[in-house]
Amino acid sequence: GMIEYALEDLDQLLASWAQVMRNAPDELTTTLALRPAFGPFPAAAILFVCLDGDDTSALDSLRAIGTALAEDISEHPYAEVLEEGPPAQPVLPVIGNTLVDSFDEPVIKAVTAAYANGGRVVFMRYLGGAFGRVDPSATAFAHRGAEVMVVSAAFMPEDATEDHRAEARKVWATIGHQGIGAYAGFLGSETSEDIAALWPPDTLDRLREVKRTWDPDNLFRRNFNIAP
């Protein structure tokens, strides 16, 4: 479910959320979203909560990180959680994401400043736990030391000019340039810079060797492509 907080002292809200999550059990995962006013939905700070187990005491500290305005947390079947909402109005989202090794004051200030710029959702997914205990060389995804994934989308009209899109990317860069890498599932482009952000050099070299061995003709290329 979710907890909604007042949009006040967002720096403090984000810092308190991260501190609580640093001490949270593996059974708890959360995403804190800063949403702009969008259609019928007002601007809001919403914490999405997923807890595995019957002990809900871990939620008590989260209720105290800011001024809680509403709460709706209960047990749901997984399929119900994933039900789609009403269709959104047509927009052009300019999307970026980054993984930060420490959700510290400079990152927090960049997040709140970008959100204050308007027309942008920013959400932070806390990582750590079992995610961080996987050997970075065990899978294609190597950014196991990241504490938080930050994702943001600026919502623009479908006919937004390239200059307007570039301005949105410039705002995102104030956050993105503080990261250690990116996650493929929330990238809105496939530039050479994006590819470099997805995989550290050692991982990229290993994946290129796999590609040369199993797909030297680059048949499987409709993706964030690693050339042989």
Side-chain angles (χ1 to χ4, degrees), residues 17-18 98-101 103 124-127 146-150:
W17 164 74
T98 195
L99 298 145
V100 296
D101 58 7
F103 195 63
M124 285 68 58
R125 172 70 184 269
Y126 199 85
L127 304 174
E147 181 181 28
V148 170
M149 177 173 64
V150 184

Side-chain angles (χ1 to χ4, degrees), residues 24-228:
D26 280 6
E27 291 78 13
L28 174 65
T29 184
T30 64
T31 296
L32 180 57
L34 304 179
R35 185 186 69 198
F38 192 72
F41 302 104
I46 300 175
L47 183 70
F48 296 96
V49 173
C50 185
L51 178 66
D52 177 26
D54 297 326
D55 182 3
T56 62
S57 61
L59 301 177
D60 294 339
S61 296
L62 291 172
R63 294 184 175 104
I65 63 174
T67 302
L69 301 178
E71 178 178 322
D72 181 14
I73 298 176
S74 58
E75 188 172 7
H76 295 279
Y78 191 64
E80 182 181 313
V81 173
L82 296 178
E83 285 183 355
E84 294 186 3
Q89 64 191 59
V91 292
L92 173 70
V94 179
I95 303 170
N97 84 81
T98 195
L99 298 145
V100 296
D101 58 7
S102 178
F103 195 63
D104 54 15
E105 184 177 358
V107 177
I108 289 171
K109 287 192 174 300
V111 166
T112 56
Y115 175 69
N117 197 60
R120 173 180 298 275
V121 62
V122 189
F123 71 82
M124 285 68 58
R125 172 70 184 269
Y126 199 85
L127 304 174
F131 165 93
R133 293 193 290 270
V134 176
D135 186 333
S137 66
T139 70
F141 183 84
H143 300 293
R144 298 291 173 174
E147 181 181 28
V148 170
M149 177 173 64
V150 184
V151 184
S152 184
F155 298 119
M156 315 192 77
E158 287 186 296
D159 59 354
T161 66
E162 180 53 39
D163 285 346
H164 287 142
R165 299 182 202 183
E167 186 60 31
R169 289 191 289 267
K170 183 178 178 181
V171 173
W172 161 250
T174 62
I175 304 170
H177 286 172
Q178 300 191 56
I180 60 173
Y183 174 64
F186 293 103
L187 279 180
S189 58
E190 52 179 348
T191 65
S192 58
E193 185 179 13
D194 292 329
I195 300 299
L198 291 176
W199 298 290
D202 288 349
T203 305
L204 188 55
D205 288 346
R206 178 163 53 88
L207 295 177
R208 282 184 174 137
E209 180 60 34
V210 171
K211 194 65 176 281
R212 285 191 292 268
T213 301
W214 294 99
D215 186 19
D217 297 325
N218 204 22
L219 176 65
F220 296 100
R221 60 186 179 273
R222 298 181 63 182
N223 47 33
F224 292 102
N225 192 239
I226 298 173

